[in-house]
Amino acid sequence: MAERMLKFVSVAQEQPDKRPAQARRQDFNEIYDEFVPAKAEAQASRCSQCGVPFCSVHCPLGNNIPDWLMMTAAGRMEEAYELSSATNTFPEICGRICPQDRLCEGNCVIEEGFESVTIGAVERYITDTAFDNGWVRPVKPVAERDESVAIIGAGPGGLAAAVQLREQGYQVHVYDRYDRIGGLLMYGIPGFKLEKDIVLRRHRLLVESGIHFHLGKGIGDTDGADSIAFSTLRARHDGVLIATGVYKSRDIGGPGAGLGGIVRALDYLTASNRVSLGDSVAEYDSGALNAAGKSVVVIGGGDTAMDCVRTAIRQGAKSVKCLYRRDRANMPGSVREVKNAEEEGVEFVWLAAPQAFEGEGHVSGVRASRMKLGLPDASGRQSVEPVEDSAFTLEADLVVKALGFDPEPLPTLWGQPELEVSRWGTLMVDRKSFMTSLPGVFAAGDIVRGASLVVWAIRDGRDAAAQMHAWLEEMTAAQAEVAE
């Protein structure tokens, strides 16, 4: 099989065919076509099978990347899928939305000039092929257990934990305030990066696995028609995992910050995704969360900002600008996403920061000033400083704030003052056991580590599930001893 590999010298790097930018602007479909089998095998064969696979080292899940690339190159697709899914609960999702240029592909050791293996595209191809051939099957535990566990949050971390615990035979109940599973996978990430049928397909599989979903059911401090008290949840289940993610949007002040037409990124993206799913959204229909015909300015430089600018393009905006206070090299968003946005007509205004918002009742412009990079701060990133007398104004009918997310105050919202949080508002957990300050209550994902990547949420969910299983085993054994 080894003769099939190390083809990076003779086979050039190729991504799946990308749809023309003009066609992409017209819809919310994914922008990449599927690999044809021969192309996927050829691209997988470029792997150098290095002794220390830095692609795996820099993957949060530690995926066995060289192994499933070798299986793909040999056309042994079912085995490739088994290897891929052994460490990743949702490879079809990670293959689409992971920033591979910052993780596995960015650390590929193939010599510069030959370019990295297209790991993400091959990962997507493997799992889509597995679904097409019926190799992806519901979880069937060897034996059922009486204990039940509650998972708060149907995002990637919570779902990953649900699968792991279901495999152990637990009765798994997932609670989420939204009406569909996925969290930001469903409502935060646009369809051109992750078509919603992919998430809904996984939902059906989880239901077939025996996982119980309680959707449209938020957690609070009292029981209600569409909510359940956290205390009730603890009494009902043997263990609880908090995997809510972080949804509190960071804000920006300054003169005019309260004008109409200045919206939060999550509100804007949620409305767009709901419309794509066929829902009726009043604020979209009214134009409040619709960029059609407008001059749009998105403030921020992360992946959420990229989602917003590319969504505005598809909604038919007159112009779309991304305002970011640092330069391209220091932008936190994926380099690949920036390139896609530029191809689709987004204009980037680098080294510029908003100072005020202009308008009478409704925003009409963003007054900004030029910035320059200074010395590194405590985090190691270069600080930014304003350039004197450099003010300018960008026309804007719609301003989208994509400045990141912070945790919601869960102890207050849930009436649990003893639930300890860090100075950033994230939940405090034992780093080994994932248990919070409340016995039998665990936490994982962004609510612990802060806003991060989907792949890290999956890793945390899997690890937390393993620790929950160990703790529940101990509790069962201790109860058995007492009974004797």
Side-chain angles (χ1 to χ4, degrees):
M1 190 181 294
E3 70 274 7
R4 298 180 184 272
M5 308 307 291
L6 287 84
K7 299 290 182 65
F8 63 89
V9 176
S10 57
V11 177
Q13 184 203 62
E14 284 188 61
Q15 294 285 350
D17 292 337
K18 189 193 294 187
R19 298 165 60 213
Q22 185 56 37
R24 300 191 324 242
R25 291 165 59 102
Q26 308 306 314
D27 58 47
F28 283 84
N29 298 335
E30 291 183 2
I31 71 170
Y32 291 102
D33 294 331
E34 290 281 358
F35 264 143
V36 297
K39 184 67 70 67
E41 291 173 14
Q43 288 300 302
S45 75
R46 299 182 68 250
C47 176
S48 64
Q49 297 288 293
C50 50
V52 179
F54 285 93
C55 56
S56 296
V57 171
H58 288 273
C59 171
L61 288 162
N63 284 336
N64 303 312
I65 296 169
D67 293 341
W68 48 254
L69 287 173
M70 182 183 289
M71 292 296 106
T72 302
R76 296 164 61 174
M77 297 307 303
E78 188 168 6
E79 291 162 283
Y81 168 69
E82 292 297 334
L83 287 167
S84 174
S85 61
T87 53
N88 188 350
T89 314
F90 310 120
E92 76 278 17
I93 292 173
C94 289
R96 285 171 162 83
I97 65 173
C98 262
Q100 289 94 2
D101 52 350
R102 283 154 48 193
L103 299 172
C104 52
E105 293 180 18
N107 290 280
C108 179
V109 300
I110 290 178
E111 187 175 345
E112 187 175 349
F114 293 101
E115 308 305 334
S116 67
V117 178
T118 53
I119 296 168
V122 174
E123 182 178 38
R124 168 187 168 182
Y125 168 76
I126 290 170
T127 316
D128 286 351
T129 300
F131 270 105
D132 291 343
N133 286 278
W135 302 332
V136 187
R137 302 180 182 89
V139 171
K140 298 297 180 186
V142 175
E144 296 286 351
R145 304 175 65 111
D146 293 332
E147 302 98 323
S148 71
V149 294
I151 296 174
I152 305 174
L159 295 178
V163 172
Q164 299 300 112
L165 290 164
R166 184 67 191 127
E167 286 179 347
Q168 297 293 341
Y170 292 101
Q171 308 310 306
V172 179
H173 294 257
V174 180
Y175 298 82
D176 198 279
R177 58 185 161 187
Y178 286 115
D179 56 343
R180 297 179 178 95
I181 76 158
L184 293 181
L185 298 178
M186 182 62 73
Y187 292 123
I189 298 174
F192 52 78
K193 287 171 63 175
L194 177 63
E195 291 183 358
K196 303 313 164 189
D197 286 348
I198 302 299
V199 183
L200 295 172
R201 178 178 65 183
R202 182 60 74 167
H203 182 196
R204 291 191 293 271
L205 195 71
L206 298 177
V207 171
E208 291 175 22
S209 299
I211 296 172
H212 305 281
F213 288 95
H214 307 268
L215 302 177
K217 203 75 171 175
I219 307 303
D221 57 357
T222 58
D223 293 328
D226 56 358
S227 66
I228 182 172
F230 183 77
S231 56
T232 301
L233 206 67
R234 286 188 74 189
R236 184 179 295 174
H237 299 283
D238 298 286
V240 176
L241 174 67
I242 302 172
T244 57
V246 291
Y247 282 86
K248 182 182 176 183
S249 298
R250 293 175 187 157
D251 214 337
I252 186 170
L259 288 170
I262 302 174
V263 303
R264 297 181 299 181
L266 187 56
D267 294 341
Y268 176 65
L269 292 172
T270 299
S272 178
N273 281 313
R274 282 196 175 278
V275 170
S276 295
L277 286 161
D279 294 350
S280 177
V281 181
E283 288 182 301
Y284 180 90
D285 295 337
S286 71
L289 295 175
N290 185 350
K294 296 179 180 177
S295 298
V296 179
V297 174
V298 176
I299 302 171
D303 288 334
T304 300
M306 296 305 96
D307 293 343
C308 290
V309 293
R310 297 180 67 200
T311 293
I313 287 287
R314 285 159 174 79
Q315 290 179 346
K318 183 170 69 174
S319 68
V320 181
K321 294 181 175 65
C322 182
L323 190 68
Y324 183 56
R325 61 180 181 162
R326 290 187 166 89
D327 59 7
R328 180 190 291 265
N330 286 280
M331 199 170 191
S334 166
V335 173
R336 192 175 295 164
E337 287 299 298
V338 174
K339 181 181 178 182
N340 289 334
E342 287 180 323
E343 290 173 352
E344 293 166 5
V346 175
E347 178 185 343
F348 285 86
V349 185
W350 307 108
L351 290 167
Q355 301 299 317
F357 302 94
E358 300 177 350
E360 295 293 333
H362 192 282
V363 69
S364 62
V366 179
R367 190 163 71 247
S369 63
R370 301 292 178 184
M371 310 296 286
K372 63 181 179 180
L373 296 177
L375 296 173
D377 58 20
S379 69
R381 295 185 75 190
Q382 285 181 278
S383 59
V384 288
E385 304 167 2
V387 176
E388 291 186 15
D389 302 321
S390 63
F392 63 100
T393 300
L394 295 173
E395 179 185 353
D397 304 309
L398 177 64
V399 176
V400 183
K401 300 175 291 185
L403 304 169
F405 302 97
D406 288 321
E408 295 166 294
L410 298 187
T412 301
L413 294 174
W414 295 354
Q416 300 292 317
E418 66 274 27
L419 184 61
E420 294 182 6
V421 298
S422 70
R423 60 191 177 98
W424 299 283
T426 52
L427 294 185
M428 297 281 284
V429 299
D430 181 285
R431 291 295 172 178
K432 182 177 179 181
S433 70
F434 287 82
M435 191 179 291
T436 67
S437 54
L438 300 177
V441 177
F442 301 76
D446 288 2
I447 193 60
V448 174
R449 67 167 63 243
S452 188
L453 301 173
V454 166
V455 66
W456 273 115
I458 295 172
R459 166 66 186 270
D460 292 347
R462 291 170 65 96
D463 289 349
Q467 295 302 318
M468 288 183 73
H469 172 56
W471 180 80
L472 287 164
E473 290 267 78
E474 289 179 8
M475 293 299 101
T476 301
Q479 291 169 4
E481 285 186 18
V482 170
E484 291 176 0

